[in-house]
Amino acid sequence: MDPFASRAANILVGNNDNDAVLELTALGPKLLFKNPTWVAITGANLSPTINRKPISNWETLKIEKDDVLAFGPPKDGMRAYIAIAGGIDVPQIMGSRSTYLKGDFGGFEGRALQAGDVVSTLSSGDREYIKRRLPTEMSPPNYGETHDLRVIMGPQESYFTTKGVSTFLESTYTVSMDSDRMGYRL
């Protein structure tokens, strides 16, 4: 949903731009790391912590064995991305490592991660940990709480009354948690 944030996370940890990342929506998981590595969290600020200590988004973070990465309430935005050095080891299907939940395929067994899942990463080789952060000239996006959306009316516009179209275009909406990549429920 946020290609810039996804790519930035991968670049920060030295991965290829399109390596698999974890996409978090509104609420983040609690992750226990069984091996040392490094990660980058980009996109929304979902109050990340390592071992209950607040950490920053948009920079490379060193992870030690048994560190716990957790998240709190959203501060800015809705979708965050976690890239892990080497990339997440899930099969490629149709050129993508993404999960398609409604189709039950791709990603990690075609489903959302659940408590107790063990996720492996591809080898990051002998790369050394390098502290990286988003360059100062590329400040992170401010996702904010309100957004104006551009609407392009489609061929079904004539199916609606003038008042109905006017109400749709002039109203304020809240995006429901039932939304996904296929559509937003308002």
Side-chain angles (χ1 to χ4, degrees):
M1 293 293 287
D2 185 345
F4 172 73
S6 175
R7 288 183 65 220
N10 269 322
I11 290 168
L12 286 169
V13 296
N15 292 347
N16 294 318
D17 291 8
N18 60 353
D19 281 348
V21 298
L22 294 178
E23 181 181 68
L24 319 178
T25 303
L27 302 170
K30 184 184 279 189
L31 303 173
L32 170 67
F33 287 84
K34 298 310 277 175
N35 295 296
T37 189
W38 59 94
V39 302
I41 304 163
T42 59
N45 183 344
L46 302 182
S47 306
T49 62
I50 294 178
N51 302 325
R52 298 188 177 151
K53 294 179 186 139
I55 56 173
S56 298
N57 280 12
W58 300 95
E59 65 182 44
T60 309
L61 303 159
K62 193 166 178 94
I63 299 288
E64 301 297 340
K65 182 181 187 309
D66 295 325
D67 276 353
V68 175
L69 173 63
F71 296 84
K75 290 183 178 176
D76 181 41
M78 189 168 163
R79 294 193 199 291
Y81 298 84
I82 303 171
I84 303 170
I88 298 167
D89 187 10
V90 291
Q92 260 193 340
I93 297 176
M94 294 186 278
S96 173
R97 296 182 189 274
S98 296
T99 306
Y100 179 49
L101 294 174
K102 289 186 179 184
D104 296 325
F105 68 88
F108 188 85
E109 300 177 6
R111 61 173 173 78
L113 293 177
Q114 300 171 358
D117 284 345
V118 176
V119 178
S120 298
T121 58
L122 298 166
S123 172
S124 58
D126 292 332
R127 289 185 284 171
E128 282 187 45
Y129 167 76
I130 300 172
K131 180 74 169 178
R132 295 182 178 114
R133 56 182 66 207
L134 195 65
T136 52
E137 64 272 10
M138 294 181 70
S139 60
N142 177 6
Y143 293 100
E145 293 185 16
T146 61
H147 302 278
D148 292 328
L149 301 179
R150 185 173 137 229
V151 174
I152 300 171
M153 300 306 288
Q156 295 84 8
E157 179 181 1
S158 63
Y159 294 5
F160 300 94
T161 65
T162 303
K163 183 178 181 204
V165 170
S166 179
T167 299
F168 172 67
L169 295 175
E170 296 170 11
S171 296
T172 299
Y173 298 93
T174 300
V175 177
S176 162
M177 289 299 289
D178 293 329
S179 300
D180 61 22
R181 295 172 175 275
M182 299 300 289
Y184 290 113
R185 181 168 292 183
L186 306 175

